[in-house]
Coordinates of all heavy atoms in Angstrom, one line a residue:
M1 N 2.0 -38.6 41.8 CA 1.6 -38.5 43.2 C 1.8 -37.0 43.5 O 2.6 -36.3 43.1 CB 2.7 -39.2 44.0 CG 2.4 -39.1 45.6 SD 3.7 -39.8 46.6 CE 3.5 -41.5 46.2
P2 N 0.7 -36.5 44.2 CA 0.6 -35.1 44.8 C 1.9 -34.8 45.6 O 2.4 -35.5 46.1 CB -0.6 -34.9 45.6 CG -1.3 -36.3 45.6 CD -0.5 -37.3 44.9
N3 N 2.2 -33.5 45.6 CA 3.4 -33.0 46.3 C 3.0 -33.0 47.8 O 2.3 -32.2 48.3 CB 3.7 -31.6 45.8 CG 5.1 -31.2 46.4 OD1 5.7 -32.0 47.0 ND2 5.2 -29.9 46.3
I4 N 3.6 -33.9 48.5 CA 3.3 -34.2 50.0 C 4.5 -34.0 50.7 O 5.6 -34.2 50.2 CB 2.6 -35.4 50.4 CG1 3.4 -36.6 50.1 CG2 1.2 -35.5 49.7 CD1 2.8 -37.8 50.5
T5 N 4.6 -33.5 51.9 CA 5.8 -33.4 52.6 C 6.3 -34.7 53.2 O 5.6 -35.8 53.3 CB 5.4 -32.5 54.0 OG1 4.7 -33.2 54.8 CG2 5.0 -31.1 53.5
L6 N 7.5 -34.6 53.6 CA 8.2 -35.9 54.1 C 7.4 -36.4 55.4 O 7.3 -37.6 55.6 CB 9.6 -35.6 54.4 CG 10.6 -35.7 53.4 CD1 12.0 -35.2 53.8 CD2 10.7 -36.8 52.6
R7 N 6.9 -35.4 56.3 CA 6.2 -35.7 57.4 C 4.9 -36.5 57.2 O 4.6 -37.4 57.7 CB 6.0 -34.5 58.3 CG 5.4 -34.9 59.6 CD 5.2 -33.6 60.5 NE 6.7 -33.2 60.7 CZ 6.8 -32.0 61.4 NH1 6.0 -31.3 61.9 NH2 8.2 -31.7 61.6
Q8 N 4.2 -36.0 56.2 CA 3.0 -36.7 55.6 C 3.2 -38.0 55.2 O 2.4 -38.9 55.5 CB 2.3 -35.7 54.6 CG 1.6 -34.4 55.1 CD 1.2 -33.6 54.1 OE1 1.7 -33.5 52.9 NE2 0.2 -32.7 54.3
R9 N 4.2 -38.2 54.3 CA 4.5 -39.4 53.8 C 4.9 -40.4 54.9 O 4.4 -41.6 54.9 CB 5.7 -39.2 52.8 CG 5.9 -40.5 51.9 CD 6.7 -40.1 50.8 NE 7.0 -41.3 50.0 CZ 8.0 -41.6 49.2 NH1 8.8 -40.6 48.8 NH2 8.1 -42.6 48.6
A10 N 5.7 -40.0 55.8 CA 6.1 -40.9 56.8 C 4.9 -41.3 57.7 O 4.7 -42.4 58.2 CB 7.1 -40.2 57.8
F11 N 4.0 -40.2 57.9 CA 2.7 -40.6 58.7 C 1.9 -41.7 58.0 O 1.5 -42.6 58.7 CB 1.9 -39.3 58.9 CG 0.7 -39.6 59.8 CD1 0.8 -39.7 61.1 CD2 -0.5 -39.6 59.1 CE1 -0.4 -40.0 61.7 CE2 -1.7 -39.8 59.8 CZ -1.6 -40.0 61.2
R12 N 1.8 -41.5 56.7 CA 1.0 -42.5 55.9 C 1.8 -43.8 56.0 O 0.9 -44.8 56.2 CB 0.8 -42.0 54.5 CG -0.1 -40.9 54.4 CD -0.2 -40.4 53.0 NE -1.2 -39.3 52.9 CZ -1.4 -38.6 51.7 NH1 -0.9 -39.0 50.7 NH2 -2.2 -37.6 52.0
L13 N 3.0 -43.9 55.9 CA 3.7 -45.2 55.9 C 3.5 -45.9 57.2 O 3.4 -47.1 57.5 CB 5.1 -45.1 55.5 CG 5.5 -44.8 54.1 CD1 6.9 -44.4 53.9 CD2 5.1 -46.0 53.3
L14 N 3.6 -45.0 58.4 CA 3.4 -45.5 59.8 C 2.0 -46.2 59.9 O 1.8 -47.1 60.6 CB 3.8 -44.5 60.7 CG 5.1 -44.1 61.0 CD1 5.4 -42.8 61.9 CD2 5.9 -45.3 61.7
E15 N 1.0 -45.4 59.4 CA -0.4 -45.8 59.6 C -0.5 -47.3 58.8 O -1.0 -48.2 59.3 CB -1.3 -44.9 58.8 CG -1.8 -43.7 59.6 CD -2.8 -42.9 59.0 OE1 -2.7 -42.8 57.8 OE2 -3.6 -42.5 59.6
R16 N 0.1 -47.4 57.6 CA 0.0 -48.6 56.8 C 0.7 -49.7 57.6 O 0.2 -50.8 57.6 CB 0.7 -48.3 55.5 CG 0.7 -49.6 54.6 CD -0.6 -49.9 54.1 NE -0.6 -51.0 53.2 CZ -1.5 -52.1 53.2 NH1 -2.4 -52.1 54.0 NH2 -1.4 -53.1 52.4
H17 N 1.9 -49.4 58.2 CA 2.8 -50.3 59.0 C 1.8 -50.9 60.1 O 1.8 -52.1 60.5 CB 3.9 -49.8 59.5 CG 4.9 -50.8 60.0 ND1 5.0 -51.0 61.3 CD2 5.9 -51.4 59.4 CE1 5.9 -51.9 61.5 NE2 6.5 -52.2 60.3
Q18 N 1.0 -50.0 60.8 CA 0.3 -50.3 62.0 C -0.8 -51.2 61.5 O -1.2 -52.2 62.1 CB -0.3 -49.1 62.6 CG 0.8 -48.4 63.4 CD 0.4 -47.2 64.1 OE1 -0.7 -46.5 63.7 NE2 1.1 -46.5 64.9
K19 N -1.6 -50.8 60.4 CA -2.6 -51.8 59.8 C -2.2 -53.2 59.5 O -2.7 -54.1 59.7 CB -3.2 -51.0 58.7 CG -4.1 -49.8 59.0 CD -4.7 -49.3 57.8 CE -5.3 -47.9 58.1 NZ -5.8 -47.3 57.0
L20 N -0.9 -53.1 58.9 CA -0.3 -54.5 58.6 C 0.1 -55.4 59.8 O -0.2 -56.5 59.9 CB 1.0 -54.4 57.7 CG 0.8 -53.9 56.3 CD1 2.1 -53.6 55.5 CD2 0.1 -55.1 55.4
D21 N 0.5 -54.8 60.9 CA 0.7 -55.2 62.1 C -0.4 -55.9 62.8 O -0.6 -57.0 63.2 CB 1.4 -54.2 63.1 CG 2.1 -54.9 64.3 OD1 2.7 -56.0 64.1 OD2 1.9 -54.4 65.5
A22 N -1.6 -55.2 62.7 CA -2.9 -55.7 63.1 C -3.3 -56.9 62.3 O -3.9 -57.9 62.8 CB -4.0 -54.6 63.2
A23 N -3.1 -56.7 60.9 CA -3.5 -57.8 60.0 C -2.5 -59.0 60.4 O -3.2 -60.3 60.2 CB -3.3 -57.4 58.7
L24 N -1.3 -58.9 60.7 CA -0.4 -60.0 61.0 C -0.8 -60.7 62.3 O -1.0 -61.9 62.3 CB 1.0 -59.4 61.2 CG 2.0 -60.6 61.5 CD1 2.2 -61.6 60.4 CD2 3.4 -59.9 61.7
R25 N -1.2 -60.0 63.2 CA -1.7 -60.5 64.6 C -2.9 -61.2 64.3 O -3.2 -62.5 64.9 CB -2.0 -59.4 65.6 CG -0.6 -58.8 66.3 CD -1.0 -58.1 67.5 NE -1.9 -57.0 67.2 CZ -1.6 -55.8 66.8 NH1 -0.3 -55.6 66.7 NH2 -2.5 -54.9 66.7
A26 N -3.9 -60.7 63.6 CA -5.1 -61.4 63.1 C -4.8 -62.8 62.4 O -5.4 -63.8 62.8 CB -6.1 -60.6 62.4
A27 N -3.8 -62.9 61.4 CA -3.7 -63.9 60.7 C -3.0 -64.9 61.6 O -3.2 -66.2 61.3 CB -2.7 -63.5 59.5
Q28 N -2.2 -64.5 62.5 CA -1.5 -65.5 63.3 C -2.4 -66.0 64.4 O -2.0 -67.0 65.0 CB -0.2 -64.9 63.9 CG 0.9 -64.7 63.0 CD 2.1 -63.8 63.5 OE1 2.0 -63.0 64.4 NE2 3.4 -64.2 63.0
G29 N -3.5 -65.3 64.7 CA -4.3 -65.8 65.8 C -5.5 -66.7 65.2 O -6.2 -67.2 66.1
R30 N -5.5 -67.0 64.0 CA -6.5 -67.8 63.3 C -6.2 -69.2 63.7 O -5.2 -69.6 64.1 CB -6.6 -67.8 61.9 CG -7.2 -66.3 61.5 CD -7.4 -66.3 60.0 NE -7.7 -65.0 59.7 CZ -7.1 -64.2 58.7 NH1 -6.0 -64.6 58.2 NH2 -7.4 -63.0 58.6
R31 N -7.2 -70.0 63.8 CA -7.1 -71.5 64.1 C -6.2 -72.1 63.2 O -5.4 -73.0 63.5 CB -8.5 -72.1 64.2 CG -8.3 -73.5 64.6 CD -9.6 -74.0 64.7 NE -9.7 -75.5 65.2 CZ -10.6 -76.2 65.4 NH1 -11.9 -75.8 65.3 NH2 -10.5 -77.5 65.9
W32 N -6.3 -71.8 61.8 CA -5.6 -72.4 60.8 C -4.7 -71.3 60.2 O -5.1 -70.4 59.3 CB -6.3 -73.0 59.7 CG -7.2 -74.1 60.2 CD1 -8.6 -74.1 60.4 CD2 -6.9 -75.4 60.7 NE1 -9.0 -75.1 60.9 CE2 -7.9 -76.1 61.2 CE3 -5.6 -76.1 60.9 CZ2 -7.8 -77.3 61.8 CZ3 -5.6 -77.2 61.4 CH2 -6.8 -78.0 61.8
V33 N -3.5 -71.2 60.5 CA -2.6 -70.1 60.1 C -2.1 -70.3 58.6 O -1.6 -71.5 58.4 CB -1.3 -70.0 61.0 CG1 -0.4 -68.9 60.5 CG2 -1.8 -69.6 62.5
D34 N -2.3 -69.4 57.7 CA -1.8 -69.5 56.5 C -0.3 -69.0 56.5 O -0.1 -67.8 56.4 CB -2.5 -68.7 55.5 CG -2.2 -68.9 54.0 OD1 -1.1 -69.5 53.7 OD2 -3.0 -68.2 53.2
P35 N 0.7 -69.8 56.3 CA 2.0 -69.3 56.3 C 2.5 -68.3 55.1 O 3.3 -67.5 55.3 CB 2.9 -70.5 56.3 CG 2.1 -71.7 55.7 CD 0.6 -71.4 56.1
F36 N 1.7 -68.6 54.1 CA 2.1 -67.7 52.9 C 1.5 -66.2 53.1 O 2.1 -65.2 52.8 CB 1.5 -68.2 51.6 CG 2.1 -69.5 51.2 CD1 1.3 -70.8 51.4 CD2 3.3 -69.6 50.7 CE1 2.0 -72.0 51.1 CE2 4.0 -70.8 50.4 CZ 3.3 -71.9 50.5
E37 N 0.3 -66.1 53.8 CA -0.3 -64.9 54.2 C 0.5 -64.2 55.1 O 0.9 -63.0 55.1 CB -1.7 -65.0 54.6 CG -2.4 -63.7 55.0 CD -3.7 -63.9 55.6 OE1 -4.1 -64.9 55.8 OE2 -4.4 -62.9 55.7
V38 N 1.1 -64.8 56.1 CA 1.9 -64.3 57.2 C 3.3 -63.8 56.6 O 3.7 -62.8 56.8 CB 2.2 -65.4 58.3 CG1 3.3 -64.9 59.2 CG2 0.9 -65.7 59.1
A39 N 3.8 -64.7 55.6 CA 5.1 -64.2 55.0 C 4.7 -62.9 54.1 O 5.6 -62.1 54.2 CB 5.6 -65.4 54.1
R40 N 3.8 -62.8 53.5 CA 3.3 -61.7 52.6 C 3.1 -60.5 53.5 O 3.8 -59.4 53.1 CB 2.0 -62.0 51.8 CG 1.7 -60.9 50.9 CD 0.4 -61.1 50.2 NE -0.8 -61.2 51.2 CZ -1.4 -60.0 51.7 NH1 -1.0 -58.9 51.3 NH2 -2.2 -60.1 52.6
I41 N 2.5 -60.6 54.6 CA 2.3 -59.4 55.4 C 3.7 -59.0 56.0 O 4.0 -57.7 56.1 CB 1.2 -59.7 56.6 CG1 0.0 -60.0 56.0 CG2 1.4 -58.6 57.6 CD1 -1.1 -60.4 56.9
K42 N 4.5 -60.0 56.4 CA 5.8 -59.6 57.0 C 6.7 -59.0 55.9 O 7.4 -57.9 56.3 CB 6.4 -60.8 57.5 CG 5.9 -61.4 58.8 CD 6.8 -62.6 59.3 CE 6.2 -63.0 60.6 NZ 6.9 -64.1 61.1
K43 N 6.7 -59.4 54.8 CA 7.3 -58.8 53.6 C 6.8 -57.3 53.3 O 7.7 -56.4 53.2 CB 7.2 -59.6 52.3 CG 8.2 -59.1 51.2 CD 8.0 -60.1 50.0 CE 8.9 -59.7 49.0 NZ 8.8 -60.6 47.8
L44 N 5.6 -57.0 53.5 CA 5.1 -55.7 53.1 C 5.6 -54.8 54.3 O 6.0 -53.7 54.1 CB 3.5 -55.7 53.0 CG 3.1 -56.3 51.8 CD1 1.5 -56.4 51.9 CD2 3.3 -55.5 50.6
K45 N 5.5 -55.3 55.6 CA 5.9 -54.5 56.7 C 7.4 -54.3 56.6 O 7.8 -53.0 56.9 CB 5.7 -55.3 58.0 CG 4.4 -55.4 58.4 CD 4.1 -56.0 59.8 CE 5.0 -55.3 60.9 NZ 4.9 -56.0 62.1
L46 N 8.2 -55.3 56.2 CA 9.6 -54.8 56.0 C 9.9 -53.8 54.9 O 10.7 -52.9 55.0 CB 10.4 -56.2 55.6 CG 12.0 -55.9 55.6 CD1 12.4 -55.4 56.9 CD2 12.5 -57.3 55.2
M47 N 9.0 -53.8 53.8 CA 9.2 -52.9 52.8 C 9.0 -51.5 53.3 O 9.6 -50.5 53.0 CB 8.4 -53.3 51.6 CG 8.8 -54.5 50.8 SD 7.6 -55.0 49.6 CE 7.2 -53.6 48.6
I48 N 7.8 -51.4 54.0 CA 7.5 -50.0 54.6 C 8.6 -49.6 55.5 O 9.0 -48.4 55.5 CB 6.1 -50.2 55.2 CG1 5.0 -50.3 54.1 CG2 5.9 -49.0 56.1 CD1 3.7 -50.5 54.7
K49 N 9.1 -50.4 56.4 CA 10.1 -50.1 57.4 C 11.4 -49.6 56.5 O 12.0 -48.7 57.0 CB 10.6 -51.3 58.2 CG 11.5 -51.1 59.3 CD 11.8 -52.3 60.1 CE 12.7 -52.0 61.2 NZ 13.2 -53.3 62.0
D50 N 11.6 -50.2 55.5 CA 12.9 -49.8 54.6 C 12.5 -48.4 54.0 O 13.5 -47.5 54.1 CB 13.0 -50.7 53.5 CG 13.7 -52.0 54.0 OD1 14.2 -52.1 55.2 OD2 13.7 -53.0 53.2
R51 N 11.4 -48.2 53.7 CA 11.0 -46.8 53.1 C 11.1 -45.7 54.2 O 11.5 -44.6 53.9 CB 9.5 -46.9 52.5 CG 9.5 -47.5 51.1 CD 8.1 -47.5 50.6 NE 7.9 -48.4 49.6 CZ 6.7 -48.7 49.1 NH1 5.6 -48.2 49.6 NH2 6.7 -49.6 48.1
L52 N 10.7 -46.0 55.3 CA 10.7 -45.2 56.5 C 12.2 -44.8 56.8 O 12.5 -43.7 57.1 CB 10.0 -45.7 57.7 CG 8.5 -45.7 57.7 CD1 7.9 -46.5 58.8 CD2 8.1 -44.1 57.6
A53 N 13.0 -45.8 56.8 CA 14.4 -45.5 56.9 C 15.1 -44.7 55.9 O 15.8 -43.8 56.3 CB 15.2 -46.9 57.1
Q54 N 14.6 -44.8 54.7 CA 15.1 -44.0 53.5 C 14.7 -42.6 53.7 O 15.4 -41.7 53.5 CB 14.6 -44.6 52.2 CG 15.3 -45.8 51.8 CD 14.6 -46.4 50.5 OE1 13.6 -45.9 50.0 NE2 15.2 -47.5 50.0
L55 N 13.4 -42.4 54.2 CA 12.8 -41.1 54.4 C 13.7 -40.3 55.6 O 13.9 -39.2 55.4 CB 11.5 -41.1 54.8 CG 10.4 -41.3 53.6 CD1 8.9 -41.4 54.2 CD2 10.5 -40.2 52.7
A56 N 14.0 -41.1 56.5 CA 14.6 -40.6 57.7 C 16.0 -40.2 57.2 O 16.5 -39.1 57.7 CB 14.8 -41.6 58.9
Q57 N 16.7 -41.0 56.5 CA 18.1 -40.6 56.0 C 18.1 -39.3 55.1 O 18.7 -38.5 55.0 CB 18.7 -41.8 55.2 CG 19.2 -43.0 56.0 CD 19.8 -44.0 55.2 OE1 19.6 -44.0 53.9 NE2 20.3 -45.1 55.8
H58 N 16.9 -39.3 54.2 CA 16.8 -38.1 53.3 C 16.5 -36.9 54.2 O 17.1 -35.9 53.9 CB 15.6 -38.3 52.4 CG 15.3 -37.3 51.5 ND1 16.1 -37.0 50.4 CD2 14.3 -36.3 51.3 CE1 15.6 -36.0 49.7 NE2 14.5 -35.6 50.3
A59 N 15.7 -37.0 55.3 CA 15.5 -35.8 56.2 C 16.7 -35.4 56.9 O 17.0 -34.2 57.0 CB 14.3 -36.1 57.1
A60 N 17.4 -36.4 57.3 CA 18.7 -35.9 58.0 C 19.7 -35.3 57.0 O 20.3 -34.3 57.5 CB 19.4 -37.2 58.6
R61 N 19.8 -35.6 55.9 CA 20.7 -35.1 54.9 C 20.1 -33.6 54.6 O 21.0 -32.8 54.4 CB 20.7 -35.9 53.6 CG 21.7 -37.0 53.6 CD 21.9 -37.5 52.3 NE 21.4 -38.9 52.3 CZ 20.5 -39.4 51.6 NH1 20.1 -38.7 50.6 NH2 20.1 -40.7 51.7
R62 N 18.8 -33.5 54.5 CA 18.3 -32.1 54.3 C 18.6 -31.1 55.3 O 18.7 -29.9 55.1 CB 16.8 -32.2 54.0 CG 16.5 -32.8 52.7 CD 15.0 -32.8 52.4 NE 14.5 -31.5 52.4 CZ 13.1 -31.2 52.5 NH1 12.2 -32.1 52.4 NH2 12.7 -30.0 52.5
H63 N 18.8 -31.6 56.6 CA 18.8 -30.7 57.7 C 20.3 -30.4 58.1 O 20.7 -29.9 59.2 CB 18.0 -31.2 58.9 CG 16.6 -31.1 58.5 ND1 15.9 -29.9 58.4 CD2 15.7 -32.1 58.4 CE1 14.8 -30.1 58.1 NE2 14.4 -31.5 58.2
Q64 N 21.3 -31.1 57.4 CA 22.7 -31.0 57.8 C 23.2 -29.7 57.1 O 22.9 -29.3 56.0 CB 23.6 -32.2 57.2 CG 23.4 -33.4 57.9 CD 24.3 -34.6 57.2 OE1 24.7 -34.4 56.1 NE2 24.3 -35.6 57.9
P65 N 24.1 -29.0 57.9 CA 24.7 -27.7 57.4 C 25.6 -28.1 56.2 O 26.2 -29.1 56.1 CB 25.5 -27.1 58.5 CG 25.5 -28.2 59.5 CD 24.6 -29.2 59.3
A66 N 25.6 -27.2 55.2 CA 26.4 -27.5 53.9 C 27.9 -27.2 54.2 O 28.4 -26.8 55.0 CB 26.0 -26.5 52.8

């Protein structure tokens, strides 16, 4: 992976999270809801949320005085 900043990585993860949120709303708005698709999207959103939390912890550690 190319060398990207934490801010760029967080931005990309947030973008992906928003796209998954839109996909989840679309999947839940269908006449016939596929529970497996909804579960898959929710799982992906949670994974991204966890990665964002890890990035935030990493950034906080980098900015703490030694």
Side-chain angles (χ1 to χ4, degrees):
M1 177 185 294
N3 190 14
I4 61 175
T5 66
L6 285 175
R7 185 174 296 182
Q8 290 170 328
R9 190 166 179 198
F11 180 77
R12 289 180 183 175
L13 287 171
L14 281 171
E15 277 186 325
R16 181 71 176 136
H17 191 271
Q18 290 173 347
K19 288 178 184 177
L20 287 169
D21 196 42
L24 180 60
R25 283 193 306 271
Q28 290 175 327
R30 292 191 187 114
R31 185 173 182 181
W32 303 107
V33 177
D34 180 356
F36 296 107
E37 180 181 8
V38 169
R40 182 185 64 83
I41 294 170
K42 285 182 177 182
K43 186 174 181 179
L44 288 171
K45 281 183 63 178
L46 184 58
M47 287 172 50
I48 290 174
K49 186 177 177 182
D50 289 345
R51 287 184 193 167
L52 284 167
Q54 288 173 353
L55 281 178
Q57 287 177 350
H58 181 71
R61 275 189 247 125
R62 288 180 59 186
H63 295 294
Q64 287 180 346

